[in-house]
Amino acid sequence: MELMLRNQEQILSKIATNDGHGENSAFFDGWKAYDTDPYHPTHNPNGVIQMGLAENQLSLDLVEEWVQKNQKASICTAEGANQFKDIAIYQDYHGLPQFKNAVARFMERVRGNRVRFDPDRVVMSGGATGAQETLAFCLADPGDALLVPTPYYPANDRDLTWRTRVQLVPVICESSNDFKITRDGLETAYKKAQEANIKVKGLLLNNPSNPLGTVLEREALAEALSFINEKKIHLICDEIYSATVFDEPGFVSIAEVVQEYPDCNLDLIHIVYSLSKDLGFPGFRVGIIYSYNDVVVNCARKMSSFGLVSTQTQYLLARMLSDEVFVDRFLAESSRRLASRHGLLSQGLAQMGIGSLKSSAGLYCWMDLRRLLKGPTFEAELELWRVVINDVKINVSPGASFHSSEPGWFRVCFANMDDDTMQVALTRIRKLVIQSISPEANAPRKQCRRSKLEISLSFRRLDEIMMTPHKMSPHSPMSSPLVRART
């Protein structure tokens, strides 16, 4: 096998044969553990529960109900088949006008109609993954860098760097101020990049945050605008979780803030959006770039031909998103259900003495297991993670995979399962807490762990994380559709 890989490296491109995609990362062991032993309440009640997947399944019944009542919206039904030819034939990469209009209006409604979006600036992409990469191609050259506050979504290391050869420079955020971004943190990261002769071309903000579930306050966004204007670098705002807000403080879009700063250079402002999280449609691969820069819009539109949204999907979603009654009902009910599920998880953890970061958005909690670590190290964090995967049988994501600067934090997702499964998961976590504080319970746990799936993990020191882009991704090379979803 090793010889075959060496031969492939000689006859294929370096990008094709390197580990830039990250699928060989040891962090996939948790996903593989789930994929080979998935929990089922009756068929496999002792299997692994998937809490590493940020997928919004709580309100899909509303979508199914709408589809059943609107058969003409699909060209694959008897009622909509008369539109089949017009939709099936070639369409240019600008996209269906009705689709771009509907997406622009939907983005406005999600933001409380406090801003307006020009449909002509809506550029399609194959999910937010494609949108991120396209913007990286447009804004930076190989070797250039983007600043990214930590902790951040692991697949940024793939989406933004693998094929573009752009680097990511972490902006360290800490739990002492709830992981908030500070001007000092931005300046420190920028200075470190300069000292390493790395040209910084932009700042990437994820709002609401994945994995924190927090939203950026207006003042923080204004500070970011001030910073990028002073440095003359770009600002990319990833707002793919904007409609998952279920509590105060509410979501503030960068599109709102720029309206209040007439001196802001709009050519530097770009928004990434998708329907994967807000509507729960990751399989539709609907990504959006919205840029205030005309050159970026034109370039991104040309590049979108490499990852277009199918016209059948555009046609269906144009009809759905144009139904204002449905959209309003969905957004309100989705928020209510997310709040209920978040409360179930966070309160359940609190009853066990487990804290989590206060959050108001997203499909996950940032769970604090620092007191269960054997020591304040990332090695101890990964040791605890092995116990959670192998013994407790829950797949959660360790903070190290999100480039957290502090060990002991875990992202735990709550919107991809039913209430009964959530209760089973909480029962298992309670068992973990009891085992961790009871010496008598530890012996059989260790013995059990040796007999189960061994997980080998590599970890880089914090100074290496600071300046080296990691190649870790939550996408498993396994065949499960759950594992293929963007997390």
Side-chain angles (χ1 to χ4, degrees):
M1 175 63 72
E2 185 176 343
L3 177 63
M4 183 178 70
L5 291 176
R6 286 202 302 267
N7 291 336
Q8 290 296 324
E9 291 176 358
Q10 294 175 0
I11 64 175
L12 299 179
S13 74
K14 292 180 180 179
I15 291 180
T17 54
N18 70 17
D19 192 29
H21 190 280
E23 282 193 342
N24 294 323
S25 165
F27 284 97
F28 280 119
D29 286 340
W31 287 76
K32 294 172 185 176
Y34 164 77
D35 202 60
T36 57
D37 186 25
Y39 169 82
H40 188 278
T42 55
H43 301 313
N44 191 23
N46 295 318
V48 177
I49 295 177
Q50 175 62 288
M51 301 189 82
L53 178 65
E55 190 170 63
N56 189 359
Q57 298 185 20
L58 299 184
S59 298
L60 287 181
D61 60 303
L62 304 180
V63 178
E64 294 172 357
E65 177 185 325
W66 185 91
V67 171
Q68 291 173 358
K69 292 180 178 179
N70 294 269
Q71 299 287 314
K72 288 185 178 181
S74 172
I75 61 174
C76 297
T77 64
E79 292 86 344
N82 62 327
Q83 294 292 316
F84 186 91
K85 179 180 178 181
D86 291 336
I87 297 303
I89 61 176
Y90 174 79
Q91 308 284 344
D92 69 28
Y93 46 67
H94 288 75
L96 297 178
Q98 60 267 39
F99 171 74
K100 295 193 299 179
N101 286 330
V103 168
R105 300 290 84 82
F106 180 73
M107 292 173 65
E108 292 172 359
R109 297 181 82 82
V110 168
R111 290 153 183 80
N113 290 312
R114 296 182 294 273
V115 294
R116 290 290 177 265
F117 291 106
D118 181 356
D120 289 335
R121 292 190 177 277
V122 172
V123 180
M124 293 182 301
S125 176
T129 294
Q132 296 276 44
E133 184 184 64
T134 298
L135 275 177
F137 268 115
C138 289
L139 305 182
D141 292 314
D144 292 344
L146 300 175
L147 303 180
V148 190
T150 64
Y152 66 78
Y153 172 53
N156 282 342
D157 297 308
R158 176 208 61 211
D159 299 350
L160 292 155
T161 74
W162 182 31
R163 298 192 295 185
T164 66
R165 318 314 295 162
V166 171
Q167 303 182 63
L168 299 184
V169 176
V171 178
I172 299 302
C173 301
E174 300 174 335
S175 63
S176 57
N177 71 337
D178 296 333
F179 298 97
K180 291 180 180 178
I181 305 166
T182 66
R183 182 62 178 255
D184 286 345
L186 292 171
E187 295 286 358
T188 297
Y190 187 84
K191 182 180 179 181
K192 283 182 177 292
Q194 286 188 315
E195 291 172 349
N197 294 318
I198 298 173
K199 185 176 183 179
V200 176
K201 294 298 294 289
L203 168 65
L204 171 65
L205 298 180
N206 181 215
N207 182 34
S209 168
N210 176 11
L212 301 179
T214 55
V215 296
L216 289 175
E217 298 176 349
R218 190 177 301 271
E219 293 76 13
L221 290 169
E223 189 67 65
L225 278 179
S226 172
F227 176 78
I228 65 104
N229 273 277
E230 178 184 312
K231 307 297 185 186
K232 295 181 175 57
I233 61 176
H234 295 274
L235 177 61
I236 303 172
C237 283
D238 179 343
E239 299 185 346
I240 68 172
Y241 286 94
S242 54
T244 67
V245 178
F246 50 78
D247 200 355
E248 296 295 332
F251 171 70
V252 178
S253 171
I254 192 64
E256 298 178 47
V257 180
V258 296
Q259 296 176 148
E260 304 167 4
Y261 291 85
D263 295 333
C264 173
N265 184 355
L266 288 178
D267 283 341
L268 300 176
I269 311 301
H270 322 278
I271 297 173
V272 171
Y273 189 57
S274 83
L275 301 182
S276 297
K277 309 303 182 180
D278 286 354
L279 287 176
F281 295 169
F284 277 21
R285 309 310 303 144
V286 178
I288 298 296
I289 296 171
Y290 189 91
S291 176
Y292 293 89
N293 187 313
D294 292 338
V295 177
V296 171
V297 169
N298 291 333
C299 179
R301 182 163 288 129
K302 295 172 186 175
M303 294 182 67
S304 70
S305 60
F306 294 103
L308 290 174
V309 180
S310 75
T311 49
Q312 177 182 349
T313 299
Q314 292 183 55
Y315 182 72
L316 172 66
L317 290 177
R319 299 287 291 269
M320 182 183 297
L321 298 182
S322 297
D323 187 337
E324 296 182 358
V325 173
F326 165 75
V327 168
D328 287 345
R329 179 191 174 209
F330 179 91
L331 293 177
E333 182 62 15
S334 176
S335 177
R336 186 193 69 78
R337 295 182 187 184
L338 286 172
S340 176
R341 180 58 65 78
H342 175 271
L344 181 64
L345 175 59
S346 61
Q347 292 168 23
L349 293 175
Q351 291 173 357
M352 307 173 204
I354 296 177
S356 58
L357 186 68
K358 187 180 186 306
S359 59
S360 62
L363 311 173
Y364 32 75
C365 283
W366 191 233
M367 180 172 61
D368 183 2
L369 296 184
R370 286 178 292 179
R371 74 183 185 92
L372 300 188
L373 298 183
K374 292 183 177 180
T377 66
F378 284 100
E379 287 78 6
E381 175 186 280
L382 297 181
E383 181 180 352
L384 177 61
W385 183 57
R386 295 186 188 104
V387 173
V388 174
I389 291 289
N390 290 338
D391 299 354
V392 185
K393 293 294 193 77
I394 296 177
N395 180 33
V396 298
S397 304
S401 65
F402 291 87
H403 303 268
S404 176
S405 62
E406 302 175 16
W409 295 87
F410 293 76
R411 190 192 73 168
V412 52
C413 300
F414 58 72
N416 63 325
M417 64 188 69
D418 58 29
D419 286 341
D420 291 339
T421 303
M422 176 59 68
Q423 291 294 350
V424 175
L426 286 171
T427 299
R428 294 184 180 185
I429 296 174
R430 185 176 296 107
K431 175 185 175 183
L432 169 68
V433 175
I434 294 174
Q435 288 179 333
S436 298
I437 63 177
S438 172
E440 293 78 10
N442 285 337
R445 182 186 67 197
K446 292 180 179 178
Q447 182 179 2
C448 179
R449 183 167 68 249
R450 287 195 297 268
S451 66
K452 295 184 179 179
L453 175 66
E454 290 293 328
I455 299 179
S456 59
L457 294 165
S458 61
F459 175 73
R460 295 180 178 179
R461 293 175 302 156
L462 181 58
D463 57 343
E464 293 176 317
I465 292 177
M466 284 292 296
M467 299 308 299
T468 305
H470 279 202
K471 303 301 179 183
M472 296 179 181
S473 162
H475 294 258
S476 170
M478 308 294 284
S479 61
S480 167
L482 280 179
V483 176
R484 290 198 301 268
R486 183 178 193 266
T487 65

